[in-house]
Amino acid sequence: MASPRDIVACVADVEYDPPQRVRRLPSWLLGQAHTRSQQLVADALAQEGARRPHFVVLASLADQGPASQATLGRRVSIDRSDLHAIVAELERDGLIGRTRDPEDRRRNVVTLTAAGKAALGRLNARIDQAQRDLLAPLSPSDRRELVRLLEQLLRTKR
Amino acid sequence: MASPRDIVACVADVEYDPPQRVRRLPSWLLGQAHTRSQQLVADALAQEGARRPHFVVLASLADQGPASQATLGRRVSIDRSDLHAIVAELERDGLIGRTRDPEDRRRNVVTLTAAGKAALGRLNARIDQAQRDLLAPLSPSDRRELVRLLEQLLRTKR
DNA sequence: CGAATGTCAGGTCGACTGACATAG
DNA sequence: CCTATGTCAGTCAACCTGACATTC
């Protein structure tokens, strides 16, 4: 039943094995690293019942102060229409408050609550652990080097 | 109309500005770098009327030889059901051929045609240019260093 | 019989577009 | 009048699931 050719075919068969050409592409490596990174962060946030936009919104409010939904969305690159669902969930969970801006009654000013600050603290701890897991294969100096290279890669071109 | 506070608010308003906390996260940097990378590659492939899976399938066929759709999908991590649309398009454009495997009549053996090899050559040139654009902000030695670090990051944990 | 293959239908999720009423 | 804001409906592509007939 298992002829030599079948065995060869079977060995050549098994599992994940993209071509060398592709494997060496910096864009491919970045994609793989991003996938791993994204998975770790998503899992970390999920343990607190949050997703990435929730975290980013809370972090922006803490670091940069209250803001209307529109400016908040602009700060963290989330579309107004998508942000709507996020802030609704955060408000439902009592992590933010929304009040009409008396000086411009179109605006919903979003503010971090005490519960929101506490939740952000927990999320920050989870995120930091995810970063450590992500960078675990690298030596401390290599971790700094990677960050430096990525920052330089992103510095130019906006 | 424009009180001092309004001007301050306006300055604080404008544009993309995620919190420092987030900006420094390795996972964030990887995400941003991946976004840029993905954009460059997608644009490069689009100039030849292709998308990423098309390229990866052609590259796998060239580097690793003909294969059934299922094994092809396993090699490059594309689901059978998604691969179906891809190979159909590649066949329509004459870049691959599909023949029933006489030794196992369940299988569709996918083969690269001459036109497919030519198309892959063009795609490779576009992709290489995209890599150069991506890495342009880095010195030659930093480019090698980045690739080394990413490979090491991915080496462990499968 | 169980397992693999190609095929198809559908579902989910994130990113984006267009519209609208309200307010400036 | 034109613009900005918050809201909602709907599109689109990527990714995944489940099903089915055919073949091993």
Side-chain angles (χ1 to χ4, degrees):
Chain A
M1 192 62 184
S3 74
R5 182 179 42 227
D6 289 333
I7 292 172
V8 169
C10 176
V11 168
D13 236 40
V14 263
E15 300 312 321
Y16 175 74
D17 177 34
Q20 291 300 322
R21 172 80 176 77
V22 169
R23 242 187 240 266
R24 293 175 187 285
L25 294 174
S27 60
W28 176 272
L29 296 171
L30 271 176
Q32 296 295 108
H34 172 250
T35 300
R36 162 109 37 104
S37 159
Q38 142 73 23
Q39 189 64 53
L40 287 168
V41 169
D43 290 350
L45 294 174
Q47 289 179 314
E48 302 289 334
R51 281 163 301 157
R52 222 206 348 153
H54 301 105
F55 165 69
V56 179
V57 164
L58 293 179
S60 175
L61 292 174
D63 282 28
Q64 302 165 291
S68 73
Q69 294 183 195
T71 65
L72 200 47
R74 258 175 253 124
R75 292 210 290 227
V76 300
S77 295
I78 297 180
D79 192 86
R80 290 208 315 276
S81 47
D82 298 321
L83 192 59
H84 177 259
I86 303 297
V87 289
E89 289 172 21
L90 291 173
E91 186 181 38
R92 168 176 53 75
D93 296 343
L95 306 185
I96 62 164
R98 278 198 283 187
T99 57
R100 282 273 153 207
D101 184 341
E103 299 183 11
D104 184 341
R105 308 215 335 277
R106 291 171 303 179
R107 295 192 164 114
N108 261 341
V109 176
V110 182
T111 319
L112 203 57
T113 66
K117 282 178 196 163
L120 180 57
R122 293 193 299 274
L123 291 174
N124 274 329
R126 299 276 190 188
I127 294 271
D128 286 343
Q129 182 58 48
Q131 308 300 308
R132 284 191 288 273
D133 294 344
L134 173 66
L135 299 179
L138 301 183
S139 73
S141 69
D142 277 351
R143 293 172 206 179
R144 286 190 298 272
E145 181 73 352
L146 178 61
V147 168
R148 180 185 75 80
L149 292 172
L150 290 174
E151 282 174 340
Q152 188 172 339
L153 188 68
L154 295 170
R155 188 158 305 133
T156 25
K157 297 271 186 173
R158 89 122 94 198
Chain B
M1 193 63 189
S3 74
R5 182 179 43 229
D6 288 333
I7 291 172
V8 169
C10 176
V11 168
D13 238 42
V14 263
E15 300 314 320
Y16 175 75
D17 176 34
Q20 291 299 324
R21 174 80 177 77
V22 169
R23 244 187 239 266
R24 294 174 187 283
L25 294 173
S27 61
W28 176 271
L29 295 171
L30 270 176
Q32 296 294 108
H34 172 249
T35 301
R36 162 111 36 107
S37 158
Q38 143 73 23
Q39 190 63 52
L40 286 168
V41 169
D43 289 350
L45 293 174
Q47 289 180 314
E48 300 290 333
R51 280 164 302 158
R52 222 208 344 157
H54 301 104
F55 166 68
V56 179
V57 164
L58 293 179
S60 175
L61 292 174
D63 281 27
Q64 302 165 290
S68 73
Q69 292 183 194
T71 64
L72 200 46
R74 258 176 254 125
R75 293 208 292 225
V76 299
S77 294
I78 298 179
D79 192 85
R80 292 210 311 279
S81 46
D82 297 321
L83 192 60
H84 177 260
I86 303 297
V87 289
E89 289 172 20
L90 291 173
E91 186 181 40
R92 169 176 52 75
D93 296 343
L95 306 185
I96 62 165
R98 278 198 282 187
T99 57
R100 283 272 154 209
D101 185 342
E103 299 183 12
D104 183 344
R105 308 215 334 276
R106 293 172 302 180
R107 295 192 162 114
N108 261 341
V109 176
V110 181
T111 319
L112 203 57
T113 64
K117 282 178 197 165
L120 180 57
R122 292 192 299 274
L123 291 174
N124 274 330
R126 299 277 190 187
I127 294 270
D128 286 342
Q129 183 57 48
Q131 308 300 308
R132 283 191 289 271
D133 294 343
L134 173 65
L135 299 179
L138 301 183
S139 72
S141 69
D142 277 350
R143 294 173 204 178
R144 286 190 298 273
E145 182 72 351
L146 178 61
V147 168
R148 180 185 76 80
L149 292 172
L150 290 174
E151 282 174 339
Q152 187 172 340
L153 188 69
L154 295 169
R155 189 159 303 132
T156 26
K157 297 271 185 167
R158 88 129 82 210

